[in-house]
Amino acid sequence: MREFDEKSITGAVIERLAECNDPRFKQVMSSLVTHLHDFVRDVRLTESEWMTAIQFLTDVGRTCTDKRQEFILLSDTLGVSVLVITLNHPTDHGSVDSTVMGPFYWADAPERALGSNLAEGVKGEPTFYSGRVLGVDGRPLPNALLDIWSGDGEGNYDMQIPGETGMKARGRIRTDAQGRYRFRSIKPTYYPVPTDGPVGVMLRKMGRHPYRPGHIHMIVSAAGHAPVTTHLFVANSRYLDSDAVFGMKESLVARFDRHPAGPGPDGEPMDTPFYTVEYDFRLRPAEGITG
Ligand SMILES: [Fe+2]
């Protein structure tokens, strides 16, 4: 057939994959074409809406830089990121929940000694984080790595602060022989995802707020175990009920205990009130990874 109508076009495009020799790619593209065509038929997409979509995706691409990933933000705000994570990280192994990576990860943060302050010169209330990294069997994992990042106490990540060129509130910490970790940073607050780009335009048009509840990010990894990209959320933070990127998981909500000025957990004098947080991360064995 050389000519197609609004129904036969879908099968025709899929048929053109006949020579594709990558079965998974063939499956993914066939499904993509099917759903995309169904969507266009379902909403009876107009030509001007089609052009708006093309322009929108073009703008999303143009907004990306080496420090800003608007496509990840688009995926996050449409719930696609958390859907992919949920499908790929089953939680029935007793391991810590995964959640979105978000657009502010910066690879190769410096490795710091246990107990280091990752937030030197960063605005925010001092917070001491500690706990253990364990296998799902409860055995401590020495030399596990926590790659940690967060915004400051006003909700700004280093890469969003004008004139700030270095890493702030980031670092990598390794657990000790008992699988324990500890580090100091700040208590993160809720913040809006970037709204000055095309995703912001989309959110406003959808009638949505752009806020994420307060959280600190980490990728937790250990030899022989599946790494986990996750957060700790601040209990009682605003927007826990309506995270703009749908990443909130109850199991990741951590209690931030407030203490008056005085000696900190390691005996250091604290001249302002501070918080302590304790949380254990459980990792499943790498060989246990399934679909
Ligand atoms: Fe974040």
Side-chain angles (χ1 to χ4, degrees), residues 110-175:
E111 195 161 328
R112 308 285 301 273
L114 262 183
S116 294
N117 183 2
L118 308 185
E120 209 77 67
V122 172
K123 292 176 185 167
E125 297 169 287
T127 302
F128 295 86
Y129 297 82
S130 63
R132 294 171 301 168
V133 179
L134 307 165
V136 285
D137 56 3
R139 249 185 306 176
L141 299 178
N143 209 34
L145 186 68
L146 286 88
D147 192 345
I148 301 151
W149 71 104
S150 77
D152 64 17
E154 297 177 354
N156 297 303
Y157 285 78
D158 46 13
M159 42 178 76
Q160 295 178 295
I161 299 170
E164 180 61 71
T165 53
M167 290 191 181
K168 286 282 163 69
R170 298 175 190 271
R172 291 186 291 168
I173 296 278
R174 283 190 188 274
T175 56

Side-chain angles (χ1 to χ4, degrees), residues 81-283:
S81 307
V82 86
L83 177 57
V84 172
I85 289 162
T86 304
L87 286 173
N88 285 280
H89 295 271
T91 52
D92 55 352
H93 296 77
S95 55
V96 62
D97 270 322
S98 301
T99 188
V100 294
M101 174 171 268
F104 299 118
Y105 179 63
W106 195 340
D108 302 322
E111 195 161 328
R112 308 285 301 273
L114 262 183
S116 294
N117 183 2
L118 308 185
E120 209 77 67
V122 172
K123 292 176 185 167
E125 297 169 287
T127 302
F128 295 86
Y129 297 82
S130 63
R132 294 171 301 168
V133 179
L134 307 165
V136 285
D137 56 3
R139 249 185 306 176
L141 299 178
N143 209 34
L145 186 68
L146 286 88
D147 192 345
I148 301 151
W149 71 104
S150 77
D152 64 17
E154 297 177 354
N156 297 303
Y157 285 78
D158 46 13
M159 42 178 76
Q160 295 178 295
I161 299 170
E164 180 61 71
T165 53
M167 290 191 181
K168 286 282 163 69
R170 298 175 190 271
R172 291 186 291 168
I173 296 278
R174 283 190 188 274
T175 56
D176 66 13
Q178 285 76 46
R180 296 199 161 275
Y181 72 87
R182 60 196 165 84
F183 65 92
R184 177 177 161 179
S185 186
I186 50 85
K187 182 186 177 202
T189 188
Y190 62 86
Y191 67 84
V193 297
T195 55
D196 57 343
V199 172
V201 174
M202 179 192 78
L203 291 175
R204 283 189 289 280
K205 184 108 179 159
M206 292 171 100
R208 289 171 52 178
H209 76 69
Y211 290 97
R212 300 211 60 209
H215 60 272
I216 181 167
H217 297 253
M218 55 274 294
I219 301 170
V220 186
S221 59
H225 291 74
V228 174
T229 300
T230 192
H231 299 355
L232 293 182
F233 290 94
V234 180
N236 303 319
S237 174
R238 280 186 75 180
Y239 303 109
L240 278 176
D241 293 333
S242 59
D243 184 354
V245 305
F246 308 96
M248 215 295 285
K249 299 203 172 168
E250 292 293 346
S251 67
L252 302 177
V253 176
R255 216 179 62 219
F256 282 61
D257 290 326
R258 194 168 195 270
H259 306 272
D266 299 323
E268 64 278 65
M270 300 296 295
D271 54 11
T272 62
F274 61 93
Y275 292 86
T276 54
V277 179
E278 199 163 341
Y279 194 92
D280 290 346
F281 298 93
R282 284 174 188 263
L283 303 183

Side-chain angles (χ1 to χ4, degrees), residues 53-73:
I54 298 286
Q55 191 56 55
F56 174 75
L57 291 173
T58 304
D59 290 346
V60 170
R62 285 192 176 137
T63 306
C64 293
T65 67
D66 58 345
K67 286 187 179 170
R68 176 162 177 177
Q69 232 305 350
E70 194 80 353
F71 270 112
I72 291 183
L73 186 60

Side-chain angles (χ1 to χ4, degrees), residues 18-33:
E19 309 283 305
C20 174
N21 54 18
D22 179 336
R24 174 62 179 166
F25 184 64
K26 190 172 180 176
Q27 179 197 5
V28 169
M29 290 309 294
S30 300
S31 182
L32 174 68
V33 168

